[in-house]
Amino acid sequence: MSDSVQILMCPPHHYDVDYVINPWMEGNVHRSSREQAQEQWNKLYQVLKTYATVTLVDPQIGWPDMVFTANAGLVLENTVVLSRFFHTERQGEEPHFQAWFEAQGHTVHTLPKSLPFEGAGDALLDRAGQWLWAGYGFRSELDSHPYLAKWLGVEVLSLRLVDQRFYHLDTCFCPLTDGYLLYYPPAFDTYSNHLIELRVPVEKRIPVDEVDAVNFACNSVNVDRVVIMNQASAGLKRALGDRGFTIVETPLGEFLKAGGAAKCLTLRMTEPRRASPQASTVQSRTIHLEGHLLDSGLVNRALDLIVSGGGSFQVLNFNLGEQRQDPSAAEVKVSAPDAAVMADIMGQLIDLGAMAVAEESVPAQLAAVTQSGVAPDDFYVTTIYPTEVRVGNQWIKVVGQRMDGAIAITPGSDGGSDSDSNGGSDGVPVARCQLLRDLQAGESVVVGSDGIRTLRSAPSLKKNSTEEFGFMGAGVSSERRVELVVEQIAWDLRRIRDRGGKVVVTAGPVVIHTGGSEHLTRLIREGYVHGLLGGNAIAVHDIEQSMMGTSLGVDMQRGTSVHGGHRHHLKAINTIRRCGSIAQAVEQGILTSGVMYECVKNKVPFSLAGSIRDDGPLPDTKMDLIEAQADYARLIEGADLILMLSTMLHSIGVGNMTPAGVKMVCVDINPAVVTKLSDRGSVESIGVVTDVGLFLSLLVKQLSKLTGQYAQV
Ligand code: ARG
């Protein structure tokens, strides 16, 4: 059997560390000893000769890494896929290896020019299965894998390398006789580990620890039951011994300085071809990005998400706008190891505003809802951004845009006023954002990522001013900066009110505790608020303060606890319950001031959403949360600005229901809450880290200043 194994090596006459193209070479330039390297190489050569036939290729001056013949190419029977080195430092080896393979009578395939693939260093046949494991992430490009499948007639399984110390697959992955696998799991991403676990049963997997990994234990040459490597720990020797393998150690420290060991120094020439479906699951698509790609950081974000999602990319072209106001456009080829990863990446890219190029004319895929309240698998999850779907041969704007919904398509009715059809007249279908629970059996829902595009608004050109008034992160907002933001918000509120626009306030009980009540009531009285959203607590504390002068039992004037005050809020609840509702309490003259009172008096609609911790609750509090969500959504509709005052829970709920384009101002003393809420990736969000009572008092002051100015005109 061993006679049949043929190995190619290259003597280290010209070996040295001349440059740095992997982390092992750092600090080792010209630090290796040629004599010692020669001696170590000879030893390996002698060892290998006892298990295999070793052939030599002539070393070439100027190509020090040629000793690592694993990177010459990938050989399967008589067919070779020649390497295309990623780094220019090694590209000069290519013609020498090509000449050698051709002289041996092999059929040599060469990859397109800009498609790196580093041979058997990144492609290893499974010793039991009939597939090829192929690495990508550092040297070989994912897009080379379909070529391997086609030229070699094998199934290719793509594995993504994520630790740059293990830049080639053969540095951390070694298939062994009988389907065993020696490997270092942390060198791979989660998806790849999963793939490995699917193909290699647990009893066949031999994971190594970091110590063995950095000693290049996975960079082994395996012939039958012998595993030849640089060095192995006692534990690894036992693990392999128990499975009937013998380890032969041969020191290769001089080559470790260049980032290689036993396996790198060899190329297996006699890989048999086994009947195997030639397949690669690698998928590619081209996307188009347009807009202020650089100043908005969109390109970076898109490319980062492709890579962190397990894919790879190639920028096909990039047209940079000439002036600051000109948009740029880019076309990027996205590749992913399989359809599921591709779908995931594409979904995220679409959310960023990218559009799949070939899909310009491809309609969205639809699937029927088979169970009411449950979407088909793979349904497209909506974002806050304006979205369009391609149905038939037209783009249709999705209505009721919100986050975390599905897109339901209702066919257009043929004109007329078909009362139970939700579709548009004139035969135009309607696309509607729908919560999962509202989906009806038989309805069509958009699945996958074909035929969907989202529109991101261009960032404001007045970049400096938006930054000034923008996010006041990390609690470092100086007083002056808070004042500046308040000026901007007051100006907005004033303009919205004057043109008959809509402002909705979400408020938590902190507004009352921090003395914000008098200011909020004033905003309501003066017509700046057109809807109030909160929970049971804001109303209870407001009413307690109005009736008893305390908030949770604390005297609001003196700031001290009142004897028996802890029962005050329950008394307030009880009083309202007796009246039947907050409005009735106002009508009966029992509730005569405060936030809720002003809402009733000024006909500002409010909605109180209940929670598990609510006392009472007040008769107005909706304990059916589905009902409460619907009520919130109704009150938010058409809002121009939402002022979120110190309530993370209700503000997040509101944020999820609100499409992009609605200005949001989030005020909280906790920077984390502000970050969470104002980070909607849209320019319209403003975060203010400050005491909410103080904020409201500044706002009211500023508004009256503005009104004064107006009055003078
Ligand atoms: N210095 C070489 C490089 O960085 C080492 C190659 C090791 N070969 C391998 N199959 N892992 O390319």
Side-chain angles (χ1 to χ4, degrees), residues 647-667:
T647 167
M648 179 161 75
L649 184 67
H650 302 98
S651 300
I652 290 175
V654 166
N656 291 346
M657 302 174 186
T658 310
V662 178
K663 196 160 197 158
M664 284 191 181
V665 177
C666 172
V667 186

Side-chain angles (χ1 to χ4, degrees), residues 15-17 19-25 64-65 67-71 85 87 90 93 118-122 139 167-171 216 219 255 257-261 263-266:
Y15 169 72
D16 195 1
V17 180
Y19 43 74
V20 178
I21 56 170
N22 69 49
W24 303 91
M25 299 173 102
D65 273 339
V67 279
F68 299 114
T69 50
N71 300 121
F85 285 94
H87 293 288
R90 293 196 65 182
E93 298 173 33
E118 299 204 346
D122 262 337
R139 299 291 184 86
Y167 57 95
H168 275 144
L169 183 64
D170 68 1
T171 59
F216 276 71
N219 198 251
F255 296 98
K257 293 177 183 168
K263 161 67 175 60
C264 301
L265 293 165
T266 64

Side-chain angles (χ1 to χ4, degrees), residues 92-172:
E93 298 173 33
E94 292 166 18
H96 299 294
F97 284 126
Q98 177 163 13
W100 188 86
F101 287 129
E102 281 169 356
Q104 304 295 306
H106 285 90
T107 306
V108 179
H109 291 277
T110 51
L111 287 155
K113 226 174 164 32
S114 53
L115 194 54
F117 166 66
E118 299 204 346
D122 262 337
L124 300 161
L125 276 162
D126 196 81
R127 300 254 149 258
Q130 299 157 357
W131 56 81
L132 181 74
W133 298 102
Y136 69 104
F138 294 108
R139 299 291 184 86
S140 300
E141 187 58 48
L142 184 58
D143 283 333
S144 64
H145 297 179
Y147 287 92
L148 306 180
K150 185 171 75 178
W151 288 334
L152 301 173
V154 286
E155 181 187 10
V156 178
L157 301 180
S158 306
L159 298 176
R160 178 168 165 239
L161 299 165
V162 292
D163 182 333
Q164 52 174 333
R165 295 174 299 172
F166 306 103
Y167 57 95
H168 275 144
L169 183 64
D170 68 1
T171 59
C172 51

Side-chain angles (χ1 to χ4, degrees), residues 515-524 693-694 696-698 700:
S517 170
E518 58 172 305
H519 310 300
L520 184 54
T521 53
R522 191 158 158 197
L523 290 180
I524 298 170
L694 181 71
L696 284 169
S697 96
L698 286 172
V700 165

Side-chain angles (χ1 to χ4, degrees), residues 41 56 75 77 106 139 160 187 212 392 397 419 504 510 516-517 611 634 675 681:
W41 185 92
L56 299 180
V75 188
E77 277 181 354
H106 285 90
R139 299 291 184 86
R160 178 168 165 239
D212 278 318
K397 188 166 168 35
S419 57
V504 176
V510 181
S517 170
S611 79
R634 186 175 57 80
T675 313

